[in-house]
């Protein structure tokens, strides 16, 4: 979020002040490596988009989960639901 504001010419300090965060917290978080969950999500997102596209946009989370499991990808339906929402995909 702050990166988007920085693109518009706003600095980290004023944005952090409004959000009641210290700038050091922002920079510490920015340096931190991606979590295992985020890395897994980034692997799954293209697969979800692919299956959703192949279905003509008709598959929901349940069918996408089944399709991915048939392809050997072990994933929970709640994960698919969360990522579909993040991607803005609907059945």
């Amino acid at each position: 979020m702050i990166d988007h504001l920085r693109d518009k010419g706003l600095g980290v300090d004023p944005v952090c002040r409004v959000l009641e965060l210290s700038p050091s917290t922002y920079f510490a978080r920015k340096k931190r490596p991606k979590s295992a969950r985020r890395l897994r999500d980034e692997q799954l997102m293209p697969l979800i988009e692919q299956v959703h596209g192949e279905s003509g946009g008709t598959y929901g989370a349940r069918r996408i989960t089944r399709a991915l499991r048939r392809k050997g990808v072990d994933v929970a339906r709640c994960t698919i639901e969360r990522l579909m929402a993040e991607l803005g995909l609907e059945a």
Side-chain angles (χ1 to χ4, degrees):
M1 179 165 126
I2 291 178
D3 289 332
H4 300 295
L5 295 173
R6 286 179 60 195
D7 293 341
K8 295 180 181 180
L10 296 173
V12 172
D13 290 332
V15 173
C16 285
R17 216 173 301 119
V18 170
L19 295 175
E20 297 181 2
L21 293 173
S22 72
S24 62
T25 301
Y26 165 75
F27 288 112
R29 173 63 183 101
K30 191 165 172 80
K31 277 188 195 177
R32 194 177 318 150
K34 293 180 181 178
S35 67
R37 175 180 167 169
R38 189 69 216 163
L39 292 172
R40 170 84 165 143
D41 288 352
E42 289 176 358
Q43 290 176 338
L44 290 171
M45 290 167 111
L47 298 174
I48 293 169
E49 289 175 317
Q50 178 187 358
V51 171
H52 188 262
E54 288 170 355
S55 75
T58 60
Y59 277 15
R62 189 174 53 149
R63 285 183 171 173
I64 290 176
T65 302
R66 287 181 186 166
L68 289 176
R69 285 183 179 163
R70 281 193 300 271
K71 293 181 178 187
V73 179
D74 187 31
V75 63
R77 189 177 77 219
C78 60
T79 301
I80 300 298
E81 290 169 352
R82 179 175 53 80
L83 294 175
M84 284 183 71
E86 187 174 326
L87 291 166
L89 300 177
E90 294 181 3

